[in-house]
């Protein structure tokens, strides 16, 4: 049974695991959900930062 954890709590947990801010986790989730496949690939390859992709 999976706990129904709020998105903010999930971001906090993931951020702590990765050593980044919860805000950056939120931006990454949004880029991967709403960004074009090209932008997603650029972020995954490191060609484009999460912040630059988010601000497009």
């Amino acid at each position: 049974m999976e706990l129904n954890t709020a998105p903010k709590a999930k971001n906090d947990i993931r951020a702590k695991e990765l050593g980044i801010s919860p805000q950056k986790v939120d931006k990454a989730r949004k880029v991967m959900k709403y960004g074009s496949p090209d932008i997603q690939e650029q972020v995954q390859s490191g060609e484009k930062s999460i912040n630059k992709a988010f601000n497009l």
Side-chain angles (χ1 to χ4, degrees), residues 9-50:
K10 286 183 181 181
N11 287 350
D12 290 345
I13 292 166
R14 181 62 65 192
K16 188 172 183 175
E17 291 172 349
L18 297 172
I20 61 175
S21 73
Q23 294 81 10
K24 186 164 273 192
V25 172
D26 186 53
K27 287 180 181 182
R29 286 185 195 278
K30 289 177 180 173
V31 167
M32 298 313 289
K33 185 172 183 177
Y34 300 111
S36 69
D38 188 47
I39 295 296
Q40 292 174 6
E41 185 178 324
Q42 290 174 358
V43 170
Q44 288 178 332
S45 71
E47 183 179 337
K48 188 175 293 289
S49 73
I50 291 169

